[in-house]
Amino acid sequence: MTTLLQEVRTRDWSAITGRKLFWPLLILVALMLFNLPFTPNFFAVGVRHGNLYGSVVNILNFGAKTVLVALGMTLVIATGGIDLSVGAVMAIAGAVACKVITDAPDQNSLSVVFTAIGLALAAGAAAGLFNGVMVARAGVQPIIATLVLMVAGRGIAQLVTDGRVLTESSRPFGRIGGFSFGVPTDVLLVVVLVAATSALTRRTAFGLLVEAVGGNSEASRLAGVRSRRIKLMVYLFCALCAATAGLVDASTLPGADANHSGLWIELDAILAVVIGGTPLTGGRFSIGGTVVGALILQTLKTTIFTIGIPSQANMVFEAGVVIIICLLQSEDFRDRAAALVGGRGRGRPARVPAGPSEPASVEVAP
């Protein structure tokens, strides 16, 4: 009876830890709790001038751009690809929007702001189509195709801004990086886009098609799936997400800095996707895991500031923590660690599947 109860408990625990979001959520909660001794009011949320404020609100606000970029990156990686140009696309979108606004006689005109947003998104869509055509039609490896735009994209953004930092003073455009209904506008954008993407990929066949292309592109093509079109669509979607993040960045600045807008955000986006449980080999993905992964990275950056890590050691500390996080999410690593702690391989009983006429455990020879 005792053995049966132990097996039930083991199976229940395995069912819980086997869920995709268990380890990312556990890591996120652990990081937040780690901040409590250094910031006792870390979880406190207040209202100032009608807007929410607090450490948790700041994490959501500052991590919104990473979530937006990682959202598109998730689907690209799910097809077995990669997009290194998302930072450059952010710079292009911000440059186009700010160029239109600063050249307008009335920067507060809604028509000017909507035109700027539309042209910025169109520029992002053009960049996504370039990546998609290069990968899906021309057969160029994704890392090479997107690396080209990663380098050339910033040059394009600098041409748009004439190599200067454009500063705009449009109040309507500033709302994108400000607050709406007391909540950061970029957080609302993230909620809407995440909900729409989840509905598109889990309530329709699109998500299955993306996973099929990522699992085996040639086999899915032979089965009737238009794999080239799927790849083209995910690169287009990824670029639109990056362009939206570029608008948020330009609105927050406020202005366009072609040299620094979205710099190295592609690395954070890839890390967020991987931490969230989406493998780089493609074939499956987790939208919720990506969101949690991006929040983990932003919480980690907040933790570095909170505990007073010297600025020159920030990147090293962050890299070390990311390595630990990835190890904790590795099932093989956890199994090896559990075997080491449990002393297996040194004469202790190891659990094996029990057959109809064989014992539930056997003695491992030393």
Side-chain angles (χ1 to χ4, degrees):
M1 186 66 179
T2 304
T3 304
L4 179 60
L5 289 175
Q6 290 177 349
E7 289 183 358
V8 170
R9 291 172 183 172
T10 302
R11 289 174 183 174
D12 290 343
W13 177 247
S14 299
I16 295 174
T17 59
R19 296 181 180 272
K20 290 182 179 179
L21 291 180
F22 174 79
W23 290 103
L25 284 174
L26 180 64
I27 293 167
L28 178 60
V29 172
L31 278 175
M32 288 187 169
L33 292 176
F34 181 77
N35 284 271
L36 274 178
F38 305 94
T39 309
N41 58 346
F42 183 81
F43 290 98
V45 176
V47 179
R48 181 182 300 165
H49 305 299
N51 299 323
L52 295 176
Y53 76 95
S55 298
V56 177
V57 177
N58 289 338
I59 290 174
L60 295 174
N61 191 9
F62 296 143
K65 288 181 289 186
T66 304
V67 175
L68 287 171
V69 176
L71 187 62
M73 187 74 74
T74 302
L75 298 186
V76 170
I77 291 179
T79 62
I82 201 76
D83 191 347
L84 300 179
S85 66
V86 287
V89 173
M90 281 184 60
I92 293 174
V96 170
C98 289
K99 181 66 174 175
V100 173
I101 292 174
T102 54
D103 288 349
D106 183 11
Q107 295 190 14
N108 293 315
S109 171
L110 288 178
S111 61
V112 170
V113 172
F114 285 131
T115 300
I117 293 174
L119 290 176
L121 293 177
L129 286 175
F130 171 81
N131 287 334
V133 169
M134 291 287 285
V135 173
R137 299 293 180 181
V140 180
Q141 292 184 356
I143 192 171
I144 301 299
T146 57
L147 184 62
V148 170
L149 189 58
M150 175 185 177
V151 177
R154 293 205 176 271
I156 295 173
Q158 289 178 357
L159 288 174
V160 173
T161 61
D162 295 324
R164 299 179 292 110
V165 177
L166 297 181
T167 304
E168 50 83 19
S169 58
S170 173
R171 289 189 298 274
F173 186 70
R175 290 291 295 274
I176 299 176
F179 286 80
S180 297
F181 310 106
V183 180
T185 307
D186 50 7
V187 175
L188 297 178
L189 280 173
V190 166
V191 171
V192 171
L193 282 176
V194 168
T197 305
S198 298
L200 177 65
T201 56
R202 297 308 182 193
R203 299 296 181 181
T204 69
F206 183 69
L208 293 176
L209 296 178
V210 168
E211 291 180 337
V213 171
N216 192 319
S217 179
E218 184 62 19
S220 62
R221 185 187 68 82
L222 294 175
V225 178
R226 297 180 177 179
S227 57
R228 291 182 177 180
R229 180 175 296 182
I230 296 296
K231 289 182 179 180
L232 188 64
M233 292 174 65
V234 297
Y235 279 98
L236 174 61
F237 177 73
C238 184
L240 286 174
C241 288
T244 304
L247 290 173
V248 172
D249 188 58
S251 175
T252 306
L253 189 56
D257 186 352
N259 291 320
H260 297 95
S261 178
L263 189 63
W264 308 125
I265 197 170
E266 55 273 0
L267 302 182
D268 282 347
I270 295 170
L271 275 176
V273 173
V274 174
I275 290 173
T278 299
L280 289 176
T281 53
R284 58 185 177 87
F285 64 92
S286 172
I287 298 296
T290 294
V291 174
V292 176
L295 294 180
I296 287 174
L297 290 178
Q298 186 57 50
T299 305
L300 178 57
K301 293 177 181 179
T302 302
T303 303
I304 291 173
F305 175 78
T306 301
I307 64 179
I309 298 293
S311 58
Q312 60 270 24
N314 282 358
M315 304 300 281
V316 177
F317 180 81
E318 183 176 351
V321 175
V322 168
I323 290 174
I324 294 173
I325 291 173
C326 292
L327 288 175
L328 289 175
Q329 288 187 276
S330 171
E331 185 176 354
D332 183 64
F333 174 81
R334 295 198 305 269
D335 289 342
R336 291 176 180 271
L340 182 63
V341 172
R344 293 182 185 175
R346 290 186 291 181
R348 297 194 178 186
R351 181 72 58 187
V352 297
S357 60
E358 58 188 19
S361 63
V362 295
E363 194 76 16
V364 178

